[in-house]
Amino acid sequence: MVIVKDIEVYSLCEHHMLPFYGRCHIGYIPSGTVFGVSKLARLVDMYARRLQLQERLTEQISKVVLESVNAKGVGVIIEARHLCMMMRGVEKQNSTMVTSSVLGEFRDSLATREEFFSLIGRRA
Ligand SMILES: [Zn+2]
């Protein structure tokens, strides 16, 4: 399993036209080809640059990673803060939205998913 953690994400919420930003973690199981780290970061940027929903962004990244290198499985997690949430009240200042998308072996195998979550420091 290849994991790249803490890729910075800056995007714009399409509901509120306000920024959301945070970190993206990508794991995949190569079937030969691997990505350079900067290539993965560029893919994230490419999809983040448009008006987005965090859920859709997460899914789009997982699909493009799966297809680009014909990976056996992919897992993507995005943890982000949304200005549209933060501006609603003091108590929302520190809330983070977490979204995940798992495909292929990451979806089929609990062990693979657990390995991914533990390597990025989360519980499955
Ligand atoms: Zn919003």
Side-chain angles (χ1 to χ4, degrees):
M1 187 182 297
V2 181
I3 290 190
V4 180
K5 290 206 290 191
D6 297 325
I7 299 169
E8 286 180 16
V9 180
Y10 297 95
S11 192
L12 207 56
C13 160
E14 75 176 23
H15 287 152
H16 306 98
M17 303 287 175
L18 286 167
F20 64 94
Y21 61 93
R23 290 167 189 285
C24 176
H25 315 296
I26 301 175
Y28 65 101
I29 299 175
S31 62
T33 328
V34 292
F35 281 102
V37 173
S38 61
K39 176 77 192 296
L40 276 181
R42 273 203 303 279
L43 281 178
V44 172
D45 280 347
M46 200 173 90
Y47 285 91
R49 212 180 286 142
R50 50 192 87 160
L51 286 176
Q52 273 290 11
L53 299 174
Q54 186 178 332
E55 299 87 334
R56 191 176 60 217
L57 176 62
T58 311
E59 213 174 294
Q60 286 173 337
I61 294 169
S62 66
K63 282 184 182 152
V64 75
V65 170
L66 190 83
E67 286 159 13
S68 304
V69 291
N70 195 25
K72 292 177 187 154
V74 177
V76 175
I77 290 179
I78 296 179
E79 307 173 287
R81 293 189 174 191
H82 292 243
L83 281 197
C84 55
M85 283 162 68
M86 293 161 77
M87 286 165 70
R88 273 184 223 145
V90 201
E91 285 162 31
K92 307 281 196 299
Q93 291 295 324
N94 293 310
S95 53
T96 305
M97 186 190 269
V98 181
T99 49
S100 71
S101 173
V102 289
L103 300 173
E105 277 183 30
F106 282 64
R107 179 168 285 280
D108 302 336
S109 159
L110 177 63
T112 304
R113 216 155 51 232
E114 278 176 348
E115 182 183 344
F116 172 57
F117 283 109
S118 80
L119 282 168
I120 64 162
R122 287 197 155 262
R123 303 191 57 179

